[in-house]
Amino acid sequence: MGDKKLEKHKYRTIRDYIKKRIQIGKYPVGGYLPSENELCNRFGITRTTVRKALDELLKEGFIVKEQGKGSKVIERGKSLGLLTVKGISGSIDYEVETIVTEPPRIVGWDPIIPFSLTDEEKESQCVYFQRVRNINGRPVVLENNWYSLNALGLIKSDEFVDGSFFKTLSREYLIEIMGAEQELRSKPASIDVAKNLNIHEGAPILHISVRFRTSRAGLNLYGDLYCDTSEYPIRNSYFL
Amino acid sequence: MGDKKLEKHKYRTIRDYIKKRIQIGKYPVGGYLPSENELCNRFGITRTTVRKALDELLKEGFIVKEQGKGSKVIERGKSLGLLTVKGISGSIDYEVETIVTEPPRIVGWDPIIPFSLTDEEKESQCVYFQRVRNINGRPVVLENNWYSLNALGLIKSDEFVDGSFFKTLSREYLIEIMGAEQELRSKPASIDVAKNLNIHEGAPILHISVRFRTSRAGLNLYGDLYCDTSEYPIRNSYFL
DNA sequence: AAATATTACTTGTACGTACAAGTTGGAATA
DNA sequence: TATTCCAACTTGTACGTACAAGTAATATTT
């Protein structure tokens, strides 16, 4: 029962064990992990190895460490360098309401995607869905999404956890975002985009093309976002 | 001579020593650091401690490790999640020509900066300079920059290493970028911006406001960028 | 000469120990 | 009662050891 792998790379075993418990909601966000010594006893390994595992989780943004207290589980994605929408007044992040305007369905790949697909992706059909994000009831981001059907299968929109696709992947499928590539352009809004965002045709909008890489082999998420930044700018921060 | 600090946090001492050697060009980019065992002998410490120091340099993007070979010094900033300009044809990054259109001079803070200044910064005057970045001879990015005079002093544009302000900070002042916050908006070009970028007034441009945090206490770099993304999109990637 | 094996390096993982430093809550004290 | 102190936790740093695994040049064998 996987004992061979348990012998090698013990720290990975511990790391993945803890990660899974975080993903499924044991070890809830805001709570503390068992102490390092307790993990040592529980798994019969040394603190060196436990600390190596925790270091990885720290790097991946699952926990923060507090000397004298413990390792706290944090909301992942906050420290992820993702582009987020920011309210213009003050520094409060507005709560964003997400509406699925086109539920997931199986289609062919859209040539608008500016990234080169892998061979597996080209051979596969893809799942497409569209969402609009509202702030204070006004549409701000129009979002088209695609992923390879072969890599994941069709997820229905009523499965979405809190309306979030990423949270669904994490909680239900234990898939995490490993990184992303983005391209940003400033463009005049097309008629279609203008209609969706309730702005004038030709108004400047921020067009973001993004490919998210995930922890599942072969699964990339492609996004095509149109942002009305006139009131709410897009924000991005990162730290070492 | 600093022996007290050398006793505590040895790994930081080693880390900073190696970092400095990388910054000033000993330990050149592309080369390998001394082996872990050699560093152990040289500093009279254990490999555990040396590895901890190297781990930090790895996280900070100064080196990569190659099992069986050694720790290789890499060009920092590549792995930094900074927004970069990308050529549209193929995946080749174009070489960007940087022109200083307004050499550094001492002025007051510009209210256009959308970040809240620290008290020290408010009390200080600031250094301003403007640059334009050309790709294939055509202007693509207009860039205004500010930093606190008290924190750094005036750097003349002829000091710029390869025309790069960041490289100058790293090589000459041993200051590194620790992180950044950015705000992105899509806007119509003002007359002034249009003139500088040689585009129509009102054409959609990408406006980026950025604050870079540095390793020097009290020193932030504020940027106000106007990007013509019609031909060359802005690109951003990050990985865990 | 070419293929193979050895050797001497490199980093990777894991063991165990010791003490420093930060946090917290309860016991002892004022 | 209010304060101080301390003991029992937590994570942080550093010591030393051992062997696995990857790399590259050299020596050996075919």
Side-chain angles (χ1 to χ4, degrees):
Chain A
M1 39 170 87
D3 289 293
K4 198 188 287 177
K5 204 184 178 187
L6 220 148
E7 281 312 305
K8 275 189 211 295
H9 301 312
K10 296 190 185 184
Y11 80 94
R12 292 189 191 174
T13 310
I14 314 302
R15 176 197 66 190
D16 293 341
Y17 170 84
I18 298 173
K19 187 188 291 185
K20 183 179 285 183
R21 308 262 300 186
I22 292 175
Q23 287 169 324
I24 63 179
K26 311 248 187 163
Y27 300 159
V29 170
Y32 288 86
L33 297 184
S35 78
E36 294 176 355
N37 282 317
E38 192 170 331
L39 290 170
C40 293
N41 297 333
R42 196 175 298 180
F43 292 100
I45 56 177
T46 52
R47 211 174 133 223
T48 313
T49 307
V50 167
R51 282 180 66 79
K52 175 134 194 177
L54 294 181
D55 263 8
E56 299 251 317
L57 294 173
L58 184 70
K59 265 192 289 190
E60 293 179 27
F62 285 96
I63 63 171
V64 290
K65 307 195 81 180
E66 298 171 356
Q67 185 173 2
K69 299 181 75 177
S71 301
K72 187 196 282 181
V73 179
I74 59 173
E75 181 82 49
R76 198 165 169 280
K78 301 270 178 187
S79 59
L80 210 56
L82 294 174
L83 295 172
T84 56
V85 178
K86 178 209 167 190
I88 200 159
S89 66
S91 59
I92 301 120
D93 282 16
Y94 284 76
E95 209 48 59
V96 180
E97 179 196 13
T98 303
I99 294 166
V100 179
T101 46
E102 302 262 5
R105 67 169 192 268
I106 298 170
V107 297
W109 290 100
D110 195 312
I112 202 178
I113 299 172
F115 301 96
S116 54
L117 302 173
T118 64
D119 291 339
E120 293 88 37
E121 284 172 335
K122 278 178 195 158
E123 286 169 19
S124 169
Q125 291 185 286
C126 84
V127 176
Y128 164 79
F129 60 98
Q130 188 188 62
R131 295 185 291 190
V132 171
R133 305 198 182 246
N134 289 346
I135 300 180
N136 294 342
R138 289 178 47 187
V140 171
V141 181
L142 173 66
E143 188 186 308
N144 295 302
N145 300 285
W146 299 266
Y147 64 86
S148 163
L149 180 64
N150 286 356
L152 182 60
L154 194 142
I155 298 180
K156 293 192 183 128
S157 54
D158 52 19
E159 288 185 65
F160 284 10
V161 178
D162 303 339
S164 165
F165 188 66
F166 287 171
K167 275 191 189 171
T168 311
L169 288 185
S170 178
R171 295 271 175 79
E172 309 294 331
Y173 297 87
L174 305 184
I175 298 171
E176 296 293 331
I177 304 302
M178 305 300 288
E181 300 150 78
Q182 295 167 329
E183 285 189 11
L184 312 169
R185 296 162 208 260
S186 183
K187 282 187 183 174
S190 67
I191 302 179
D192 188 48
V193 170
K195 207 174 292 176
N196 273 289
L197 294 180
N198 197 26
I199 54 176
H200 302 297
E201 183 191 349
I205 48 113
L206 178 56
H207 180 207
I208 304 178
S209 301
V210 56
R211 168 165 59 191
F212 292 102
R213 302 186 181 279
T214 74
S215 55
R216 173 173 292 193
L219 178 61
N220 297 310
L221 305 170
Y222 296 90
D224 192 52
L225 284 67
Y226 300 89
C227 311
D228 174 9
T229 58
S230 56
E231 200 160 347
Y232 304 99
I234 298 294
R235 191 200 230 174
N236 175 29
S237 59
Y238 60 90
F239 297 94
L240 288 184
Chain B
M1 41 171 86
D3 289 293
K4 198 187 287 176
K5 204 185 177 190
L6 219 148
E7 281 311 305
K8 275 190 213 299
H9 300 314
K10 297 190 184 185
Y11 81 92
R12 293 188 192 175
T13 310
I14 314 302
R15 177 198 65 189
D16 293 340
Y17 170 83
I18 298 173
K19 188 189 290 184
K20 183 179 286 184
R21 307 263 300 189
I22 292 175
Q23 287 169 323
I24 62 179
K26 312 251 187 155
Y27 300 160
V29 169
Y32 289 86
L33 297 185
S35 78
E36 293 176 356
N37 282 317
E38 193 169 333
L39 290 170
C40 292
N41 298 333
R42 194 174 299 180
F43 292 100
I45 56 177
T46 52
R47 209 172 136 224
T48 312
T49 308
V50 166
R51 282 180 67 79
K52 174 135 193 177
L54 294 181
D55 263 9
E56 298 252 315
L57 294 173
L58 185 69
K59 265 193 288 190
E60 293 179 27
F62 285 95
I63 63 170
V64 290
K65 308 196 82 179
E66 298 171 357
Q67 186 172 1
K69 300 182 74 178
S71 301
K72 189 196 280 182
V73 179
I74 58 173
E75 181 82 49
R76 196 165 170 280
K78 302 269 179 187
S79 59
L80 211 55
L82 294 175
L83 295 171
T84 55
V85 178
K86 179 208 168 190
I88 201 157
S89 66
S91 59
I92 300 122
D93 284 15
Y94 283 76
E95 208 49 58
V96 179
E97 178 195 14
T98 303
I99 294 167
V100 179
T101 46
E102 302 262 4
R105 67 170 190 269
I106 298 169
V107 297
W109 291 101
D110 195 312
I112 202 177
I113 299 172
F115 301 97
S116 54
L117 301 174
T118 64
D119 291 338
E120 294 88 37
E121 284 172 335
K122 279 178 195 159
E123 286 169 18
S124 168
Q125 290 185 285
C126 84
V127 175
Y128 164 79
F129 60 98
Q130 189 188 62
R131 297 185 290 191
V132 171
R133 303 196 182 247
N134 290 346
I135 300 179
N136 293 342
R138 290 178 45 186
V140 171
V141 180
L142 173 66
E143 187 186 310
N144 295 302
N145 300 284
W146 298 268
Y147 65 87
S148 162
L149 180 64
N150 286 354
L152 182 60
L154 194 143
I155 298 180
K156 297 198 181 114
S157 54
D158 53 18
E159 287 185 65
F160 285 10
V161 178
D162 302 340
S164 164
F165 187 66
F166 287 172
K167 274 191 189 170
T168 311
L169 288 185
S170 178
R171 294 271 174 80
E172 308 294 332
Y173 297 87
L174 305 183
I175 298 171
E176 296 294 332
I177 304 301
M178 305 300 289
E181 299 150 78
Q182 295 168 330
E183 285 189 12
L184 312 170
R185 296 162 208 260
S186 184
K187 282 186 183 176
S190 68
I191 302 178
D192 188 48
V193 169
K195 208 174 293 176
N196 272 289
L197 294 180
N198 198 26
I199 54 178
H200 302 299
E201 183 190 348
I205 47 113
L206 177 56
H207 179 207
I208 303 178
S209 301
V210 57
R211 168 166 60 193
F212 292 103
R213 302 185 182 279
T214 74
S215 55
R216 173 174 292 194
L219 178 61
N220 297 309
L221 305 170
Y222 297 90
D224 190 53
L225 285 67
Y226 299 89
C227 313
D228 174 10
T229 57
S230 57
E231 199 160 347
Y232 304 98
I234 298 295
R235 191 200 231 175
N236 175 27
S237 59
Y238 61 89
F239 298 96
L240 287 185

